[in-house]
Amino acid sequence: MRDPYDVLGLTRSASEAEVKRAYRKLAKSNHPDSHAGDAKAEARAQAKLSEINGAYEILGDKAKRAQFDRGEIDAEGKPRFQGFEGFRGGGQPGQGAGFENVDPQAFADILSGFGRGGGGGGSSRTYRFTGGSRSSPGGQEDLLSSILGGLGGRGRGSSAQPPGSDVRGEVAVTLEEIADGTRPKVSLPTGKTVALTLPRGVSDGQVIRLQGQGQASVVGGAAGDALVTVRIVPHPLFKLEGADLRLDLPVSLDEAVLGARIAVPTLSGQVNVTVPAHSSSGRVLRLKGKGLPKASGQGDLLVTPRIVLPDNADPELDALMQRWREEGRSSPRGPAYD
């Protein structure tokens, strides 16, 4: 595989945002669906998309990108052969015993011993491992296995096939879809379209893992996963607070003073709400169970009356307010504002 920076058309100084933008642009322009009906062009686009996904698998992951920049992994994410410089451990944790400060002569003795058919006769040297010590000559084969096994975990006895790469995508969902339990469809960079099951209590920015829906392995391993980020579409009426919804309800002055029965929208249709008499702006009316599903139970709808005065002047209302002012009614602000 080519250098992932070249695949995405980036320099090594590219920011995380630039990496993401480049990936999205290339993934969109090389999607096989854009060549429907042309088998050859579709196959070329699929191959190009796989290369783009592979590059983003490296550069889109902060840890993997750092490893690649340091030369620890190649463009396919596989560990590079680091040699035996200083006889220091090159293996990763869990990939055979690491070793340090091995006597170069001891290593030469091991190799020459294997060249003679693995016979004994060598000196009884002790080789220092990070996990303990082993003695020569009886431990020669173990030591060499540890050395070879540390090279990317590809020594003898390693039969696991590397899996395919993960892919990433986003899906936009509305509050109505969440409330109804609708399964929104998401198109993945692999060309697959899947119906996504939203968990109860799903939140904006939550990542849902779809096992086995990523890139297929080219060497027979398991397919990678699809990581789908949920983006909740802003609603024109409701403000989301966890599983609760907030709604500002415009009311007239007479409705606030005298009280009223008002039809209020919810995600499941209109309901009638009683606004008590003498309701000030900011008073909260709670409608139980009219919010979104949560891990346990259901959220509420919090309705806040907001007094709205008429746009046009009303002489009778103006006269009433003038009389109130002249009567010297107490201020609603209290002494703290004086």
Side-chain angles (χ1 to χ4, degrees), residues 56-193:
Y56 187 67
E57 178 68 20
I58 299 295
L59 302 186
D61 185 300
K62 190 174 183 179
K64 288 183 180 180
R65 181 179 180 180
Q67 287 180 306
F68 178 79
D69 289 344
R70 293 194 299 266
E72 296 173 2
I73 60 175
D74 61 17
E76 296 181 356
K78 298 177 181 178
R80 291 183 184 274
F81 176 70
Q82 298 296 329
F84 298 99
E85 180 180 352
F87 287 90
R88 298 188 61 85
Q92 300 296 321
Q95 295 180 340
F99 56 96
E100 60 181 359
N101 299 330
V102 178
D103 183 351
Q105 184 57 48
F107 187 70
D109 289 347
I110 292 171
L111 296 182
S112 62
F114 274 94
R116 295 191 300 270
S123 61
S124 182
R125 303 177 187 270
T126 298
Y127 308 116
R128 292 181 53 214
F129 290 75
T130 57
S133 64
R134 301 184 183 181
S135 296
S136 170
Q140 290 178 348
E141 185 171 355
D142 290 339
L143 175 58
L144 190 58
S145 295
S146 298
I147 294 170
L148 297 178
L151 303 179
R154 293 192 294 271
R156 290 177 295 177
S158 176
S159 59
Q161 299 293 344
S165 58
D166 293 345
V167 298
R168 291 170 175 80
E170 292 187 351
V171 61
V173 297
T174 64
L175 295 181
E176 287 83 0
E177 288 175 326
I178 297 174
D180 294 342
T182 302
R183 299 182 65 193
K185 292 184 178 180
V186 55
S187 297
L188 302 175
T190 59
K192 299 177 183 177
T193 298

